[in-house]
Amino acid sequence: MTVLILGGTAEGRALASALVGVGTPIVTSVAGRTRDPALPPGPVRSGGFGGAAGLTSWLRDHAVTAVIDATHPFAATMTAHAAEACTAAGVPLLRLERPSWRAHPDAPSWTWVADHEAAAATASELGDRIWLTVGRQSLARYARLARRPVLVRVAEAPASAVPPAWTLLVDRGPFELLTERALMDRHGVRVLVTKDAGGVHTAAKLDAAREAGVAVVVVERPALPPGINTVDAAPAAVTWVRGLSTRSTPV
Ligand code: NAP
């Protein structure tokens, strides 16, 4: 059996590590757009497949027997292509997606919005001094805030310059409560805007926001394609792979 992991996330790396550890043949795929990416153990391929049709061919050409889509919750295009290609190629698909921040104790007090444009409009109403932690690819969707004193933090510098009124920080963490709180105080942040990335790696800002009385605006996750079997941590994905190999072993 060969398992293709669609990665680019900490969950994808944890899964690759676990499957290599139990001797399952894998290939991890990354988009190849990050400079100096953290790579998992085992073979890695890089770059797009050429849409759902390209991925379908790739699955056939490489005799892939299962796909685990461990991409980021906001990598909706890749997730849709994985669903389409696995159906076309007759390959079982599992979605590995870290838990949403919906379960965070403060989540009911946050303003949840459907997209980045709504987040920009809501944030501008909630206060001055906005902090954007929405990823470099989404910054163009906050153009209406161009004249506001916005703090932007991204893991990697954006391709084009941010407006002169904005302050750009490039930092990929990990982030801690004390330093997040200090950053908010230093920049006088009153509104935090984030995607529902989920997980623990970037969650300290949410606790810091509560402590500092900062309003939080959260962009909801895109919906998953219907009918996809989903787990929220690598061990459950390993169990799923084991189940497949048991079923395919002749008796
Ligand atoms: P996306 O918008 O869903 O995908 C755009 C295109 O990039 C896909 O159609 C595919 O090209 C290619 N692609 C995406 N993920 C790929 C992968 N793992 N392997 C090979 N090709 C891939 O994706 P995105 O939001 O730009 O994310 C790109 C990568 O960064 C993903 O691996 C994701 O896990 C990671 N990431 C994303 C975010 C985020 O906030 N979006 C945050 C952290 C990490 P083709 O159509 O040519 O196959």
Side-chain angles (χ1 to χ4, degrees):
M1 104 173 315
T2 299
V3 178
L4 172 66
I5 300 172
L6 300 170
T9 56
E11 292 72 26
R13 292 189 289 278
L15 175 62
S17 186
L19 288 177
V20 166
V22 295
T24 303
I26 62 157
V27 181
T28 295
S29 176
V30 295
R33 291 199 293 270
T34 307
R35 265 193 313 271
D36 194 20
L39 291 176
V44 176
R45 62 143 331 260
S46 180
F49 296 95
L55 178 55
T56 307
S57 305
W58 202 94
L59 297 177
R60 290 183 175 135
D61 293 349
H62 294 80
V64 170
T65 46
V67 175
I68 300 178
D69 171 15
T71 56
H72 190 271
F74 280 78
T77 304
M78 189 68 251
T79 290
H81 290 176
E84 198 180 325
C86 286
T87 300
V91 171
L93 170 67
L94 180 73
R95 170 74 176 148
L96 166 57
E97 185 169 280
R98 66 181 79 143
S100 157
W101 282 331
R102 283 266 180 205
H104 189 283
D106 299 337
S109 69
W110 302 335
T111 305
W112 290 79
V113 295
D115 56 37
H116 291 286
E117 286 73 16
T122 304
S124 69
E125 281 163 19
L126 285 174
D128 228 2
R129 298 272 164 191
I130 294 161
W131 180 17
L132 296 182
T133 60
V134 293
R136 68 190 157 120
Q137 296 184 97
S138 308
L139 290 180
R141 298 169 70 181
Y142 290 82
R144 67 183 291 150
L145 304 177
R147 288 167 192 217
R148 306 282 286 267
V150 170
L151 174 65
V152 179
R153 186 172 67 199
V154 284
E156 201 163 300
S160 38
V162 299
W166 292 12
T167 302
L168 180 69
L169 288 180
V170 180
D171 189 350
R172 61 174 66 237
F175 306 109
E176 314 239 325
L177 177 59
L178 276 181
T179 48
E180 295 292 61
R181 183 65 208 276
L183 184 71
M184 285 181 177
D185 291 349
R186 194 158 61 249
H187 292 272
V189 170
R190 299 314 310 148
V191 186
L192 166 66
V193 183
T194 182
K195 301 189 284 198
D196 180 14
V200 293
H201 185 66
T202 58
K205 63 191 173 189
L206 303 170
D207 299 324
R210 180 188 54 239
E211 280 192 15
V214 162
V216 179
V217 179
V218 187
V219 180
E220 289 166 8
R221 292 181 175 185
L224 289 174
I228 296 189
N229 192 3
T230 303
V231 297
D232 68 5
V238 174
T239 303
W240 180 80
V241 171
R242 282 213 179 105
L244 291 178
S245 52
T246 310
R247 277 206 297 279
S248 61
T249 305
V251 277

